[in-house]
Amino acid sequence: SAVISQKPSRDICQRGTSLTIQCQVDSQVTMMFWYRQQPGQSLTLIATANQGSEATYESGFVIDKFPISRPNLTFSTLTVSNMSPEDSSIYLCSVTWFDSTDTQYFGPGTRLTVL
Amino acid sequence: AQSVSQHNHHVILSEAASLELGCNYSYGGTVNLFWYVQYPGQHLQLLLKYFSGDPLVKGIKGFEAEFIKSKFSFNLRKPSVQWSDTAEYFCAVNAPGNEKLTFGTGTRLTIIP
């Protein structure tokens, strides 16, 4: 089965800085998504990463705070900008494949702690 | 808008006990339903899914779930749990053709040896 990887797996950052998280898939996918899982909470969709165009953000999430890129069918990045302790979460990417477009498969996540 | 409710926040069972975790959704149209599992220190994995057809679906590791349309429910079951089933379980829903998933709040399952 295909492999979804994320870098970094975890990081500890200072308030006011930015962190870029990478999601890499070893085969082409149709859709890529970014989720946030705050401590003790469920997953919340941040945005859909669209290839070659601006991401589609969910209510409560904005491009200035969470810029997203998706230059091709196997790679996407999420940047968490101007971080505050409230951004401490696990950030996950998910993908759908061409033969199973209604089912999402998740990467291992990036555990972010902001001090 | 879709919503998903998981009323059991934390369930504690002994090994070999039977398991049923509740999941109810709110949506007016056709839905796809999913159960995901997150074992300690591991990433989210698909346990099973329902799109159409037989409302009783079987997943990995002996889990099954039953879609009851009249009750808007998709409860997860396992006849005999093992210690290795200790994990967080998430129910999720999307609409056919709309990949965006809506997750429930999750149920933490603890199995006592």
Side-chain angles (χ1 to χ4, degrees), chain B residues 36 40 53:
Chain B
Y36 286 87

Side-chain angles (χ1 to χ4, degrees), chain B residues 7-68:
Chain B
H7 302 295
N8 312 110
H9 298 295
H10 188 191
V11 173
I12 302 172
L13 294 173
S14 299
E15 275 192 310
S18 65
L19 169 72
E20 180 160 3
L21 301 182
C23 172
N24 289 91
Y25 67 93
S26 173
Y27 184 66
T30 304
V31 293
N32 299 323
L33 295 153
F34 306 82
W35 277 97
Y36 286 87
V37 60
Q38 191 169 33
Y39 297 103
Q42 296 188 30
H43 66 280
L44 205 62
Q45 301 172 37
L46 180 66
L47 202 54
L48 50 78
K49 61 184 179 182
Y50 171 81
F51 285 179
S52 64
D54 188 343
L56 184 63
V57 293
K58 296 189 184 298
I60 60 172
K61 304 187 180 185
F63 286 91
E64 65 180 31
E66 184 175 13
F67 171 53
I68 302 180

Side-chain angles (χ1 to χ4, degrees), chain A residues 16 21 29-31 34 50 84-85 103 106-107 112-113:
Chain A
I21 302 168
V29 298
T30 52
M31 307 290 288
W34 286 98
N50 300 310
S84 67
T103 302
F106 286 81
L112 171 62
T113 302

